[in-house]
């Protein structure tokens, strides 16, 4: 049986609500990640994921199946000043980044997270950035391992606390001719 094929593209406004629901579902089910009642503002941010498209240089990307079913999404930032996380990441120069990557439960293990990540890396290359900055948590071990396989390295200077949750920074240096 051939593996399913996914397309990465900008999200349509008509998909924002469904993607926000997917984000809430995925993050609330992470073992060891704060639940909606513990960090309601964070889950409000996830539910309203489409609001990121109002920030300068932010793009909401989705992965869709051949049947046009939503398989995942991520927010890409052309410039870290609009990234909006805690810590010092927003002060990084010549850097792009992405946040809030989520893959639908029925699409896990099919390469969707990797496709979304590679699309963000390509976008950063396309705009000539020297690096890509991201964050992860201990609850996101599958993503963490994938990021490291793709060449991201831990960047402790980008770590911060989100309430009681430690958030860990990563950096990918991009090679430009």
């Amino acid at each position: 049986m051939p593996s399913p094929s996914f397309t990465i593209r900008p999200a349509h406004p008509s998909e924002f609500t469904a993607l926000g629901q997917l984000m809430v579902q995925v993050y609330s089910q992470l073992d060891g990640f704060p639940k909606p009642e513990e960090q309601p503002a964070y889950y409000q941010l996830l539910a309203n994921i489409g609001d990121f498209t109002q920030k300068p240089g932010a793009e909401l990307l989705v992965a869709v199946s051949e049947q046009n079913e939503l398989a995942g999404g991520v927010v890409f930032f052309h410039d870290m000043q609009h990234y909006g996380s805690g810590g010092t990441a927003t002060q990084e120069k010549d850097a792009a980044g992405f946040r809030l990557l989520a893959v639908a439960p029925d699409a896990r293990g099919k390469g969707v997270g990797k496709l979304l990540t590679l699309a963000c890396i390509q976008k950063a290359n396309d705009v000539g950035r020297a690096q890509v900055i991201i964050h992860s948590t201990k609850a996101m071990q599958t993503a963490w391992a994938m990021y490291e396989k793709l060449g991201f390295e831990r960047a402790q200077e980008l770590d911060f606390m989100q309430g009681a949750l430690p958030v860990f920074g990563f950096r990918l240096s991009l090679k430009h001719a």
Side-chain angles (χ1 to χ4, degrees), residues 89-152:
T90 57
Q91 298 165 27
E92 290 290 315
K93 301 299 180 207
D94 200 17
F98 63 89
R99 317 177 43 192
L100 308 172
L101 189 147
V103 176
D106 62 349
R108 290 194 188 129
K110 298 178 182 174
V112 173
K114 183 176 181 180
L115 287 172
L116 287 164
T117 301
L118 291 173
C120 290
I121 293 168
Q122 185 60 53
K123 283 187 166 293
N125 263 314
D126 290 348
V127 296
R129 296 292 183 222
Q131 59 183 338
V132 178
I133 305 294
I134 60 169
H135 288 93
S136 194
T137 70
K138 293 284 187 188
M140 303 168 182
Q141 286 300 301
T142 301
W144 187 312
M146 176 193 66
Y147 298 142
E148 288 181 333
K149 283 181 190 165
L150 291 173
F152 283 87

Side-chain angles (χ1 to χ4, degrees), residues 70-88:
L70 199 56
V74 67
V75 183
F76 174 77
F77 297 88
H78 289 261
D79 189 318
M80 286 303 294
Q81 70 176 323
H82 304 292
Y83 187 74
S85 75
T88 61

Side-chain angles (χ1 to χ4, degrees), residues 39 42 80 83-90 99 133-137 154-170:
Q39 290 199 0
Y42 187 79
M80 286 303 294
Y83 187 74
S85 75
T88 61
T90 57
R99 317 177 43 192
I133 305 294
I134 60 169
H135 288 93
S136 194
T137 70
R154 279 282 293 117
Q156 293 180 6
E157 69 279 11
L158 299 173
D159 294 356
F160 67 95
M161 295 295 291
Q162 179 180 301
L165 180 71
V167 180
F168 302 94
F170 291 81

